[in-house]
């Protein structure tokens, strides 16, 4: 599949120059066998000392084959159990690379999200470029320039490197455990609210937005919906569509220089639950948490649209960060981190009268989202969790999650904006 990278990058009508760091993306059945040729034809051709980074799961499905293609390479195989993109995973990979005792000049990340985030972060620190060999269509972060890490308990996006090449073999990807695939679908469906949040931040605060990048995400959403029926039957073409969508979303983030096009309030729910501050640790993949966050967001957003259209919403001036809420619910260090992240507090800059005048447009934008029922059905069709209980969370935590999630990032989302909304529950004008 061709990503037309050359037509996407460069000067744009939005006034920005969009960079794309990944040199080439190969997505086709059987392309793994061409890996030596693909690297040989790229800017990495002169590099000779390879480290194949995988885990004990991905070694069997793909790492071994990669090591046969490069007999001189060292295999750095991390134990899959309890492997996470966190400070412990980073220390483990650093020590394993050290123990291999070779001056690596190229890393090959063979795996899904965690292997990629660890490789991209450690590779960036050591100034070693890497090639991405995804083994599952599980996340949209393969070409990300930031590593999504839990760093000493706090969810952070740390600066890291994009892969120079992505070699995605759809035959391998179609054989991944189905739960990983469903998780990739959920991560992608999260773009519905991510895009809406971006459009609303543009409308309310004049945040920069790019039509070309929005269109890429919308194309990705179409592609994922088209892929749904074929995924469960294991159709290679459907996996290729899904992987295309995920990589397209990753390219959108590269072009923007941050995750704004692909991550809004639905991701903030996911990040909050990953920090285990209001819930016990849960055994759910990134995309699964995003899917549940997406349904929460759509439900809240649609009830907002109803309230706006029934003239039940008034805007109050910002009363600043809810320090009481943060201090009550979070360990001191995390509460302080979130206050810092939100200073200056974006809601302080919003004029209540101006926001009130924009409410009808906000309601119209919300109505462009799939309804909560449609989102529920899409997640069901994908075989992905949709409800809090299905990922091991008590549904009683929904309201508290919705109150805390907007503090995960300073980024303005509609969920954050609702902190300025006075909603009359009885239908009377306040
Ligand atoms: Zn995501
Ligand atoms: Zn643009």
């Amino acid at each position: 599949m061709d990503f037309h990278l050359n037509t996407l990058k460069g000067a744009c009508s939005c006034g920005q120059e969009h960079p794309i760091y990944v040199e080439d993306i190969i997505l086709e059945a059987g392309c793994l066998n061409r890996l030596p040729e693909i690297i040989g034809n790229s800017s990495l051709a002169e590099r000779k000392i390879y480290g194949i980074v995988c885990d004990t799961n991905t070694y069997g499905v793909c790492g071994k084959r990669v090591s046969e293609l490069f007999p001189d390479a060292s295999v750095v195989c991390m134990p899959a159990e309890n492997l996470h993109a966190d400070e412990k995973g980073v220390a483990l990979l650093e020590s394993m690379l050290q123990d291999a005792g070779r001056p690596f000049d190229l890393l090959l990340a063979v795996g899904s999200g965690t292997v990629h985030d660890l490789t991209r972060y450690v590779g960036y620190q050591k100034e070693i470029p890497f090639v991405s060999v995804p083994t599952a269509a599980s996340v949209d972060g393969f070409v990300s320039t930031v590593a999504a890490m839990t760093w000493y308990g706090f969810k952070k996006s740390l600066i890291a490197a994009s892969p120079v090449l992505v070699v995605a073999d759809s035959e391998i990807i179609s054989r991944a455990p189905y739960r990983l695939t469903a998780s990739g679908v959920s991560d992608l469906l999260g773009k519905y609210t991510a895009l809406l949040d971006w459009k609303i931040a543009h409308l309310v605060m004049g945040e920069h937005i790019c039509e070309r990048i929005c269109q890429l995400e919308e194309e990705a959403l179409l592609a994922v919906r088209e892929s749904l029926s074929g995924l469960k039957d294991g159709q290679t073409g459907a996996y290729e569509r899904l992987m295309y969508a995920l990589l397209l979303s990753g390219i959108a983030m590269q072009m923007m220089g941050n995750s704004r096009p692909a991550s809004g309030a639905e991701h903030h729910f996911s990040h909050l639950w990953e920090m285990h501050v209001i819930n016990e640790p849960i055994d759910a993949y990134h995309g699964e948490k995003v899917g549940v966050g997406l349904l929460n967001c759509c439900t809240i957003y649609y009830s907002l649209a109803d309230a706006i259209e029934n003239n039940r919403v008034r805007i109050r001036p910002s009363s600043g960060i809810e320090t009481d809420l943060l201090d009550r619910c979070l360990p001191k260090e995390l509460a302080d981190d979130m206050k810092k992240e939100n200073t200056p507090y974006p809601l302080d800059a919003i004029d209540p009268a101006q926001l009130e005048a924009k409410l009808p447009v906000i309601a119209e934008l919300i109505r462009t989202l799939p309804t909560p029922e449609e989102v529920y059905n899409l997640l069901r069709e994908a075989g992905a969790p949709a409800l809090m209980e299905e990922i091991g969370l008590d549904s009683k935590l929904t309201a508290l999650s919705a109150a805390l999630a907007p503090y995960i990032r300073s980024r303005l989302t509609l969920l954050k904006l609702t902190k300025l909304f006075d909603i009359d529950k009885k239908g009377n004008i306040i």
Side-chain angles (χ1 to χ4, degrees):
M1 274 197 160
D2 197 339
F3 287 81
H4 305 287
L5 296 178
N6 284 330
T7 62
L8 291 174
K9 69 178 163 194
C12 177
S13 57
C14 77
Q16 279 192 359
E17 187 85 19
H18 298 305
I20 293 183
Y21 303 101
V22 62
E23 197 174 297
D24 204 0
I25 299 179
I26 316 293
L27 168 60
E28 60 190 45
C31 64
L32 187 71
N33 296 325
R34 294 201 290 118
L35 193 53
E37 171 200 328
I38 294 164
I39 295 176
N41 289 332
S42 77
S43 65
L44 301 169
E46 299 304 313
R47 297 184 180 253
K48 296 288 174 244
I49 308 169
Y50 296 2
I52 300 167
V53 182
C54 54
D55 66 30
T56 40
N57 290 334
T58 61
Y59 178 74
V61 293
C62 187
K64 190 164 180 291
R65 272 179 69 192
V66 174
S67 71
E68 286 160 5
L69 293 168
F70 303 104
D72 296 335
S74 300
V75 176
V76 178
C77 184
M78 299 176 282
E81 205 172 323
N82 284 324
L83 185 68
H84 300 290
D86 57 14
E87 74 283 357
K88 292 188 201 109
V90 166
L92 176 71
L93 179 55
E94 278 175 346
S95 74
M96 289 180 81
L97 287 171
Q98 183 90 31
D99 292 348
R102 302 181 69 193
F104 294 115
D105 59 10
L106 183 64
L107 298 177
L108 286 82
V110 180
S112 57
T114 303
V115 167
H116 273 76
D117 276 329
L118 292 174
T119 308
R120 101 175 61 251
Y121 182 72
V122 173
Y124 176 74
Q125 296 291 315
K126 295 182 178 298
E127 297 181 17
I128 310 172
F130 85 101
V131 174
S132 155
V133 184
T135 53
S138 54
V139 285
D140 70 347
F142 292 110
V143 295
S144 177
T145 52
V146 294
M149 292 272 181
T150 306
W151 207 246
Y152 295 98
F154 199 70
K155 195 74 197 172
K156 295 224 158 140
S157 295
L158 301 178
I159 296 173
S162 159
V164 179
L165 300 168
V166 179
V167 180
D169 187 329
S170 40
E171 263 169 25
I172 289 170
I173 289 162
S174 70
R175 290 198 296 265
Y178 186 77
R179 194 179 152 200
L180 284 168
T181 305
S183 176
V185 172
S186 303
D187 193 18
L188 212 289
L189 291 174
K191 309 317 156 201
Y192 277 118
T193 41
L195 280 180
L196 177 93
D197 284 338
W198 193 14
K199 287 174 187 170
I200 286 180
H202 172 67
L203 174 75
V204 173
M205 299 189 77
E207 185 179 316
H208 182 87
I209 198 164
C210 168
E211 195 53 36
R212 190 193 283 178
I213 293 174
C214 287
Q215 277 170 8
L216 281 188
E217 293 287 9
E218 273 150 18
E219 192 186 334
L221 280 163
L222 274 183
V224 79
R225 291 184 72 149
E226 282 167 13
S227 76
L228 279 182
S229 60
L231 291 174
K232 278 192 175 154
D233 308 337
Q235 291 173 19
T236 311
Y239 282 81
E240 218 163 275
R241 295 295 290 159
L242 170 60
M243 197 63 192
Y244 174 75
L246 291 167
L247 289 166
L248 213 54
S249 177
I251 292 166
M253 287 189 267
Q254 281 207 359
M255 290 169 66
M256 195 57 215
N258 57 51
S259 64
R260 179 48 124 167
S263 168
E266 74 299 322
H267 271 74
H268 299 161
F269 274 106
S270 162
H271 296 334
L272 174 73
W273 299 326
E274 277 160 37
M275 299 197 308
H276 318 142
V277 283
I278 58 164
N279 55 281
E280 292 299 313
I282 49 174
D283 171 32
Y285 294 144
H286 168 74
E288 295 176 328
K289 286 171 270 192
V290 171
V292 174
L294 167 69
L295 184 54
N296 283 346
C297 283
C298 279
T299 307
I300 295 167
Y301 289 4
Y302 263 87
S303 69
L304 279 177
D306 287 341
I308 292 170
E309 287 161 2
N310 290 310
N311 202 20
R312 290 192 285 117
V313 178
R314 289 292 169 270
I315 302 299
R316 55 172 167 246
S318 170
S319 41
I321 299 172
E322 296 158 292
T323 48
D324 288 355
L325 174 76
L326 299 182
D327 291 338
R328 196 172 67 243
C329 302
L330 306 174
K332 187 178 180 318
E333 217 169 284
L334 286 183
D336 289 348
D337 249 344
M338 285 204 194
K339 288 176 208 165
K340 211 164 113 195
E341 168 75 20
N342 285 276
T343 306
Y345 191 45
L347 298 187
D348 289 347
I350 292 173
D351 177 76
Q354 281 183 14
L355 176 56
E356 195 151 329
K358 287 170 182 162
L359 287 176
V361 186
I362 290 176
E364 259 174 52
L365 282 170
I366 294 170
R367 297 277 175 210
T368 64
L369 287 175
T371 63
E373 292 72 25
E374 282 167 332
V375 169
Y376 179 84
N377 290 335
L378 284 169
L379 292 169
R380 276 287 168 272
E381 194 183 348
L387 305 173
M388 299 277 282
E389 285 85 355
E390 291 168 352
I391 54 168
L393 292 169
D394 189 335
S395 61
K396 291 195 197 96
L397 286 176
T398 310
L400 180 60
S401 302
L404 287 171
Y407 288 106
I408 296 279
R409 295 277 184 278
S410 66
R411 180 171 293 175
L412 186 74
T413 61
L414 178 55
L415 193 61
K416 188 172 243 166
L417 201 59
T418 59
K419 291 188 182 290
L420 301 182
F421 287 28
D422 256 329
I423 301 176
D424 178 5
K425 304 267 187 313
K426 295 188 211 83
N428 301 320
I429 292 175
I430 297 163

